[in-house]
Amino acid sequence: MASRNALIFASLAIVTLGSAAACQQSSLSGPRSIDRRTYGETSNGEAVDLYTMGNANGVEVQITNYGGIVVSISAPDRSGASADIVLGHDAIEGYEKDSPYFGAIVGRYGNRIANGQFTLDGATHRLARNNGQNHLHGGLKGFDKAVWQMSEREDPNGLAVELRYRSKDGEEGYPGNVDATVTYTLTEQNELRIDYAATTDKPTVVNLTNHSYFNLAGHAQEDILGHELMIDADRFTPVDEGLIPTGELRPVDGTPFDFRTPTPIGARINEKDQQLAFGTGYDHNYVLNGKAGSLRLVAQVREPRSGRVLEVLTTEPGVQFYSGNFLDGTIRGKGAKAYGPRAGFCLETQHFPDSPNKPTFPTTLLRPGQQYWTTTVYRFSTDRSS
Ligand code: BGC
């Protein structure tokens, strides 16, 4: 396991900008602010809203109830200048038409299920096959394309937006009505905390995650290959050509997958390696060290020029590190920016891909009467010493 000392780049130093105070104040007092406004309409004519939450340190987060998408995260760099550090679109139309899950809540099952099927209690369930012969990220219309109910909540930890969605029995082939609740909290510690909860009325599988693409230099900057990444994982789950895990838990030691000490993402991405070839770069699940179920630091990323640092904490056993390999410049996002190869990276905290077909992996089974819950925290800071 990587030494924890190696994980600390520098002490946190976020400057107070107070820009968030420009947002309309609601019932919440102090420099924190929350504002709800109309975001637009889906192509089906459903109205969707946008919440803007700001904290006292100048961190601002926008969330829409279309897909529960994190539309923007503005955070200061080491000299106090703010930038939006997630890829996305300016308007709802972009997210509907052309989005590889930018910022979205992914479900009912994040990541792939081989051949789009699994067997549970003797019954085989056939799911939508939307990634070659496999099922990916909940199917053709997953949680990322649903319109969620959304409300604000005052929380002791900070401002919170709560999203609720009922995924109906049979949706995309999954059994059982699933009631999902996802709460985004912006804390005064500059964290975006995501609490996922779900219940079901029939046995089913659940694996929820968030698919934000980060570029800590700013969404409109070039690629993320210079970002220094640490992942606290001794092993990863190698895949076949279709990106389905083989079932092996392979040590990262001596491979380009070893991020136990901070290493630039681009340092080894072009090495001759079968796993990198299958993923066209990094597109792999890491077996996180530490105890799943307890919230622990699992990853850290530093962008050297801006000094922005992202830390990821989670209760999950795995994280998909995706280096934005399939972005090819054809998607024009915010401000008409063409997002080219590796314009952003994702750290999708999760259970392992294809767990419903892999009895040796931690289970994703949810039965009636059981409560699904997981927590992930994205914490923002800079490397400027205080
Ligand atoms: C997957 C990639 C996929 C991307 C966008 C990631 O979570 O691992 O293979 O291309 O999502 O769909």
Side-chain angles (χ1 to χ4, degrees):
M1 176 152 144
S3 149
R4 286 294 154 129
N5 292 337
L7 315 184
I8 309 301
F9 288 108
S11 58
L12 316 187
I14 291 280
V15 289
T16 303
L17 295 180
S19 65
C23 291
Q24 183 193 319
Q25 298 278 318
S26 77
S27 54
L28 297 154
S29 58
R32 306 191 304 195
S33 62
I34 187 159
D35 164 74
R36 182 175 185 149
R37 66 189 68 170
T38 300
Y39 190 46
E41 261 188 15
T42 66
S43 48
N44 295 334
E46 286 178 277
V48 291
D49 284 351
L50 184 72
Y51 264 115
T52 303
M53 298 188 277
N55 75 4
N57 307 314
V59 175
E60 191 183 274
V61 174
Q62 291 188 306
I63 311 279
T64 177
N65 56 324
Y66 176 73
I69 291 171
V70 176
V71 169
S72 71
I73 300 177
S74 295
D77 68 8
R78 68 162 85 83
S79 64
S82 261
D84 181 358
I85 56 169
V86 287
L87 277 54
H89 288 286
D90 287 324
I92 174 87
E93 293 76 30
Y95 286 106
E96 275 199 294
K97 285 194 196 117
D98 217 0
S99 181
Y101 305 90
F102 286 145
I105 297 169
V106 176
R108 180 180 306 194
Y109 195 98
N111 220 309
R112 292 175 173 80
I113 297 179
N115 300 313
Q117 62 177 61
F118 64 97
T119 301
L120 182 52
D121 296 340
T124 296
H125 300 282
R126 288 177 218 291
L127 308 171
R129 292 181 173 185
N130 59 325
N131 188 245
Q133 60 180 8
N134 301 321
H135 177 87
L136 175 66
H137 291 337
L140 296 167
K141 187 170 187 253
F143 287 17
D144 60 295
K145 296 179 184 68
V147 175
W148 297 59
Q149 287 168 9
M150 181 165 70
S151 57
E152 68 190 80
R153 220 160 31 78
E154 211 166 336
D155 187 281
N157 296 322
L159 299 165
V161 168
E162 185 182 276
L163 294 130
R164 289 177 175 276
Y165 174 60
R166 165 161 279 214
S167 167
K168 295 223 176 80
D169 190 5
E171 187 179 271
E172 301 295 311
Y174 291 102
N177 291 298
V178 165
D179 288 304
T181 306
V182 177
T183 308
Y184 289 106
T185 307
L186 175 62
T187 74
E188 291 304 317
Q189 289 72 48
N190 303 323
E191 299 161 331
L192 179 61
R193 178 187 169 108
I194 314 178
D195 291 290
Y196 302 87
T199 54
T200 184
D201 60 4
K202 282 185 192 168
T204 191
V205 292
V206 178
N207 189 27
L208 305 179
T209 191
N210 177 275
H211 210 295
S212 289
Y213 289 68
F214 295 96
N215 185 327
L216 300 180
H219 84 93
Q221 298 304 311
E222 295 316 314
D223 61 55
I224 46 74
L225 296 174
H227 286 49
E228 297 161 5
L229 169 67
M230 181 288 294
I231 303 177
D232 190 8
D234 295 335
R235 293 170 299 170
F236 74 112
T237 52
V239 290
D240 65 17
E241 298 92 323
L243 299 185
I244 298 293
T246 59
E248 180 192 351
L249 308 184
R250 184 178 295 174
V252 295
D253 208 17
T255 78
F257 290 83
D258 190 350
F259 282 98
R260 290 175 295 177
T261 52
T263 309
I265 291 173
R268 298 159 301 180
I269 202 165
N270 294 319
E271 281 185 11
K272 219 167 173 302
D273 176 278
Q274 189 187 48
Q275 285 298 312
L276 287 175
F278 285 163
T280 329
Y282 296 102
D283 196 356
H284 294 77
N285 172 67
Y286 280 76
V287 180
L288 295 169
N289 293 333
K291 198 171 173 302
S294 65
L295 191 64
R296 65 228 191 271
L297 180 71
V298 299
Q300 185 162 0
V301 191
R302 187 178 80 99
E303 198 284 303
R305 281 172 306 150
S306 65
R308 288 194 187 88
V309 173
L310 166 67
E311 291 171 295
V312 183
L313 297 86
T314 192
T315 58
E316 288 278 22
V319 68
Q320 182 86 4
F321 168 43
Y322 172 53
S323 50
N325 314 315
F326 300 120
L327 298 170
D328 61 3
T330 54
I331 298 177
R332 286 196 176 269
K334 297 171 188 174
K337 170 73 188 171
Y339 293 133
R342 281 105 190 215
F345 68 89
C346 303
L347 287 167
E348 304 155 54
T349 54
Q350 58 179 11
H351 273 54
F352 305 169
D354 200 32
S355 296
N357 296 307
K358 296 278 188 309
T360 57
F361 285 178
T363 186
T364 51
L365 179 58
L366 185 70
R367 292 191 180 277
Q370 294 179 331
Q371 174 75 49
Y372 171 97
W373 69 269
T374 70
T375 299
T376 291
V377 173
Y378 293 112
R379 186 190 287 154
F380 307 99
S381 62
T382 73
D383 60 5
R384 196 185 69 170
S385 36
S386 45

